[in-house]
Amino acid sequence: MSTIRFRALGELLSRNPISVSLPSKKVTEYYGELVFNIDAMRQYLSSEVFRAVKEANTSGSPIERKIADGVAAGMKAWATERGATHYTHWFQPLTDGTAEKHDGFIEFRDGENLVENFSGKLLAQQEPDASSFPSGGIRQTFEARGYTAWDVSSPAFIVGTTLCIPTVFISYTGEALDYKTPLLKALAAVDEASVEVCQYFDKNVTKVNANLGWEQEYFLIDESLYQARPDLSLTGRTLMGHSSSKDQQLDDHYFGSIPERVTNYMIELEYECHRLGIPVKTRHNEVAPSQFELAPIFEEANLANDHNQLLMDIMKKVARRHKFRVLLHEKPFAGINGSGKHNNWSLSTDTGVVLMAPGKNPKGNMQFLTYVVNTLMMVYKNQDLLRASILTESNSHRLGANEAPPSIISVFLGDEVSRMLKKIVEEVGERKMTPEEKTALKLGIGRIPEIILDNTDRNRTSPFAFTGNRFEFRAVGSSVNNAAAMTAINAAMAVQLKEFKSKVDRLIEGGIKKDEAIFQILKKFIIESRPIRFNGDGYSDDWIIEAEKRGLTNITSVPESLSRYLSEQSKKSLIGSGVMTEKELEARVDVEMDKFTMKVQIESRVLGDLAINHIVPTAVAYQTKLITNVQGLRDIFDKEEFETLAGARKSLIKDISEHVSSIKAKVKDMIDARKECNIIKDHTEKAFAYDSKVFPYLNDIRYHIDKLELIVDNEMWPLPKYRELLFNN
Ligand code: ADP
Ligand code: MG
């Protein structure tokens, strides 16, 4: 018997770790060598052009055509010296992943001489024939023009022989068709609103950056086993598979020593990242077997996100060189931990202050408090928007599903900061503060840094946790573009800060002193946002009940969650901040709804095929073996002996029949349900229909398959099992 599974295992057994041979240099010697960064610009651009680009970068002002020509010429010279023959506008359409269309630098000059050319026009803007990307109805196929335009704030880089230019992707009529455009707008909005608030504390602040440090979790699976699992290769996750007797119970993988084959993969991955200026720093084993994490030093959010997009691409490429496949899916295996991409988020000023970190003096700490409290209010008011920005089909298996934490958004502050907020509210109350109280409070706030340094409590079950100098949004999925979450958070924060500022200003206009006015508003916000604060176990059943009492939302359905993008509050945050127009927002929801439907549809088809073509025939073949065996027993033994000997086998035969019948009936019902849903034209309505009518079959059918896996002869089982997939690094 040679099942695919045994062939795959055989191939794996003959495999040694693939060695890496990298130049023996220090990271600093090759860091960023494939990036057209400040150093490269200084060398390849005239001083006039260099200054103009730097200026555009800080002020966001547009670049003139003449300057763009200068940049293009310098970029081309730099890139061709490093072996580049092509260039591409690299963009982030509303699919999973990035898009690129390579064009050679070559062109004929005067009709005959072949030259290498790259003009400012080609650098600044292009019109790729990108009519197949989702637009949510913004573009009709007969008016399919979409433009890519250079994002000056993110440097160009070389991959292979191609110069990649980060760009936005917009429609002919100017609507965003990608993830980057709204992110850039949200970052500009939070910059503007934050600078105004910072002016209360420090007049020198002229720019506020949002920062992002992502922690990327992933699984590494042997290539031959991966290829023997059509569900993994087509959907990114296992649609069936009984759990391994041993998986993560002993916690022996977390922070364990990294297997040699995996270490070699990581070394090469890090090398590639560093050459591309991605500052990856941390690597370790994660909780689940075969699960790992990679994290960089945080950067400005737009650049950080470009780097994460690029990273996911490199991870896949390098994995193939090592005969691995990398799984970025949020829940590739049932029963063990899934993968996320924690988004560490903070705001910082051009005066070098991290606004989510305690300050050096009482004034700095008032500012810190202002940002913490406004973040609380932002999350409290925008729970549904935050969830909508991260709850995708694949992430829904990791959030709100069986064995996953509930889909409730709450904020963990830690005991010390919580106590501080309590003090402000309770000791000061509703009356005006006495001068003594003010001093006491300021002194108290002055003590925050010491307190936080001592405050090592870390709550790993909180979806939005304060971790000393930043907030960590942990509900983001491992496979997604962070821009959706970062757009939501920063846009909502911009609106929140504006609201705070206008409330404080109104009090000041009424004659109240600035400090007092800020205190009064913060106090109100602390009280109002109280329900969102939760320091307990976010995974417990008690929390579900408690959260409901507090009026927090708990939405597990993806279409339901997505439809909250259109709630009044979400519109206030996204449209009110100028980040999206109503049309863009509606288009985005339409695209995300359709994505959900497509993913469920694909999973349902793959599961149906595998169930009928792989599982049922195998189960029936084994059952036939059992039947032959029972018939043989009957021939040999007398009736009485036969009954005792064959009893167990007969009941197995029956069990197999029952599971096979259930699988067949349910697959048929699932196909009928799909047909019913497929008639629906409206994307939102269709997503809801798929969610309630098709989605549940995925687990229903799986249940029977997993039972059969336990019964059927190991040698006959056609798919690699969990224990084989997860313990073969
Ligand atoms: P942990 O697993 O303890 O949360 P990691 O080191 O894995 O920590 O990841 C923390 C991430 O947070 C890193 O990317 C780090 O650079 C980033 N980070 C640290 N400080 C800030 C900050 N002020 N703002 C944004 N990100 C930050
Ligand atoms: Mg973390």
Side-chain angles (χ1 to χ4, degrees), residues 508-685:
I508 295 174
E509 279 156 27
I512 296 177
K513 281 226 182 86
K514 188 179 74 184
D515 279 4
E516 176 70 28
I518 291 173
F519 255 126
Q520 281 192 22
I521 301 300
L522 289 181
K523 202 167 57 188
K524 275 210 181 79
F525 284 180
I526 293 168
I527 295 167
E528 201 183 329
S529 66
R530 198 181 272 150
I532 203 76
R533 269 190 276 143
F534 181 61
N535 288 348
D537 179 0
Y539 292 0
S540 69
D541 291 337
D542 291 349
W543 171 228
I544 299 180
I545 300 162
E546 165 70 16
E548 195 182 345
K549 274 194 214 141
R550 294 187 186 189
L552 300 181
T553 52
N554 180 4
I555 301 169
T556 53
S557 143
V558 178
E560 179 64 41
S561 167
L562 283 172
S563 62
R564 302 295 173 99
Y565 254 132
L566 300 169
S567 75
E568 218 163 286
Q569 177 61 39
S570 301
K571 285 184 177 178
K572 194 171 155 194
S573 294
L574 291 172
I575 302 173
S577 57
V579 166
M580 286 190 203
T581 62
E582 179 123 22
K583 188 174 166 191
E584 283 174 315
L585 183 56
E586 282 170 1
R588 200 145 296 235
V589 172
D590 186 84
V591 169
E592 295 297 337
M593 290 281 186
D594 194 37
K595 242 199 256 179
F596 172 80
T597 300
M598 289 303 126
K599 295 232 165 142
V600 178
Q601 189 181 70
I602 292 168
E603 290 189 345
S604 143
R605 284 179 177 165
V606 172
L607 181 64
D609 287 354
L610 284 181
I612 300 300
N613 302 332
H614 285 57
I615 306 302
V616 168
T618 307
V620 171
Y622 177 58
Q623 191 189 37
T624 308
K625 265 174 109 176
L626 288 175
I627 292 170
T628 313
N629 176 274
V630 171
Q631 282 166 342
L633 290 176
R634 195 174 46 206
D635 290 347
I636 298 171
F637 295 102
D638 62 37
K639 196 165 185 313
E640 202 176 315
E641 255 181 315
F642 168 73
E643 287 304 334
T644 20
L645 286 171
R649 253 152 287 193
K650 275 158 82 180
S651 89
L652 259 189
I653 292 170
K654 231 176 109 200
D655 286 349
I656 293 175
S657 275
E658 278 165 12
H659 287 305
V660 166
S661 307
S662 299
I663 290 173
K664 284 187 155 174
K666 284 179 179 172
V667 169
K668 186 184 171 301
D669 291 348
M670 177 171 73
I671 294 171
D672 289 344
R674 275 205 318 258
K675 284 185 185 150
E676 211 181 294
C677 297
N678 287 345
I679 304 168
I680 304 169
K681 289 269 173 305
D682 179 74
H683 283 167
T684 295
E685 211 183 304

Side-chain angles (χ1 to χ4, degrees), residues 40 54 250 252 275-276 335 366 446 449 532 617 649 680 707:
K54 263 187 86 177
L250 300 176
D252 50 355
R275 296 182 77 202
L276 283 160
M366 267 292 275
I532 203 76
R649 253 152 287 193
I680 304 169
K707 287 283 178 214

Side-chain angles (χ1 to χ4, degrees), residues 213-215 293 295 342-344 458 460 467 470 472 474:
W214 38 262
E215 298 164 50
E293 183 185 300
H342 299 177
N343 275 204
N344 292 270
R458 283 277 211 129
R460 300 251 163 219
T467 44
R470 61 192 187 268
E472 191 170 329
R474 302 212 181 97

Side-chain angles (χ1 to χ4, degrees), residues 359-475:
K360 294 194 177 66
N361 48 41
K363 206 172 178 184
N365 281 317
M366 267 292 275
Q367 183 168 265
F368 161 67
L369 203 62
T370 299
Y371 277 85
V372 167
V373 172
N374 275 292
T375 302
L376 284 174
M377 272 303 266
M378 179 277 285
V379 179
Y380 178 53
K381 288 198 271 182
N382 293 280
Q383 306 156 52
D384 288 348
L385 171 59
L386 262 49
R387 185 190 299 102
S389 75
I390 53 98
L391 198 60
T392 58
E393 197 273 340
S394 51
N395 205 15
S396 73
H397 299 282
R398 179 178 156 260
L399 202 71
N402 278 335
E403 60 168 81
S407 191
I408 305 165
I409 306 287
S410 62
V411 181
F412 166 84
L413 279 186
D415 289 342
E416 293 302 340
V417 181
S418 302
R419 210 170 296 148
M420 181 63 60
L421 299 191
K422 199 166 164 224
K423 213 169 158 182
I424 291 170
V425 171
E426 286 178 3
E427 291 184 12
V428 181
E430 282 307 308
R431 64 194 161 74
K432 209 170 167 331
M433 277 184 289
T434 63
E436 293 76 38
E437 276 174 335
K438 255 192 216 168
T439 317
L441 201 54
K442 277 194 180 171
L443 282 178
I445 290 174
R447 280 185 37 244
I448 291 181
E450 309 152 37
I451 290 168
I452 286 179
L453 285 179
D454 294 343
N455 170 18
T456 46
D457 61 335
R458 283 277 211 129
N459 183 327
R460 300 251 163 219
T461 65
S462 173
F464 207 100
F466 175 67
T467 44
N469 62 351
R470 61 192 187 268
F471 284 89
E472 191 170 329
F473 190 24
R474 302 212 181 97

